[in-house]
Amino acid sequence: MKKTLLLSVFMLLAVGARAQKKWTFTPQVGINVCDMQGSDALECYKMVVEPIAGVEAEYRPTRLFGISLGGFYSVKGCNPNFTFVVRDGSKDEHYADCNVHYNRYELRYLSFPLMLNFHVWKGLTAKCGFQYSNLITARDKGHVAGFTNYEYDEFYSVDPDYAMRGFYPGTTAPAPSSEKMSNPVSLDHDFNNGAKAEYHRMELAIPLGLSYEYKNVVLDVRYQIGLSKLPRIDRNDRVYNSCTSITLGYKL
């Protein structure tokens, strides 16, 4: 009786241990190589390298197949290179004649990829899935130069659709002038503005990738196909994130 009981306990422990091995957890850290695509101004967006870090849990019911869910802190964006010309002089005797040159868009996300993993050959895994991301913060960075008689806060609250009168790739915009202004103030400084309201908070993407595992060290490369349009203000500008993530992790 005791032998039968001990054998039963042993078998239960063995089955439990084997079931536990079906689950693995992989902390990861790496980089995003990203830009923005889909706009008519595509030539103005340049790649940027940003950080990514998180953890992924995989359930592997068979030797060849697994499903995983991850949570990542992921920074995306691009280095834009264009200038908006602000020509506003039609209300309350206030004027602005400025060139606003953007050189960095930075978007920080919490991303949750759900992946199907196909363990095709000795540590090599092909992956595809679906990813939901929630925008945490967004910032626009650049430089403004020109003249205005707006107060500082008033100038930055000017309606872009009302005030912007030109778009120039690179730095080819015409020089600003203060001829029509009384008591003009010269502007020549960098800006780093919060821009979360300009972007949709939810982003959907299809990640496709490969990983290779050697002695529990995992190198993972994924390309994320953006499905969600980013800007909220300009409905005609269909801009999407384009991002390749390269991470190194350790499987537990």
Side-chain angles (χ1 to χ4, degrees), residues 85-101:
V85 174
V86 178
R87 299 284 188 266
D88 177 31
S90 57
K91 56 180 182 179
D92 301 330
E93 300 300 323
H94 282 177
Y95 289 89
D97 193 342
C98 302
N99 293 342
V100 183
H101 182 73

Side-chain angles (χ1 to χ4, degrees), residues 86-98 147-159 162-163 181-187:
V86 178
R87 299 284 188 266
D88 177 31
S90 57
K91 56 180 182 179
D92 301 330
E93 300 300 323
H94 282 177
Y95 289 89
D97 193 342
C98 302
F147 304 93
T148 185
N149 60 6
Y150 278 101
E151 296 293 333
Y152 182 85
D153 291 340
E154 289 179 325
F155 173 72
Y156 282 101
S157 66
V158 172
D159 183 356
Y162 175 79
M181 301 180 201
S182 59
N183 303 316
V185 175
S186 176
L187 298 174

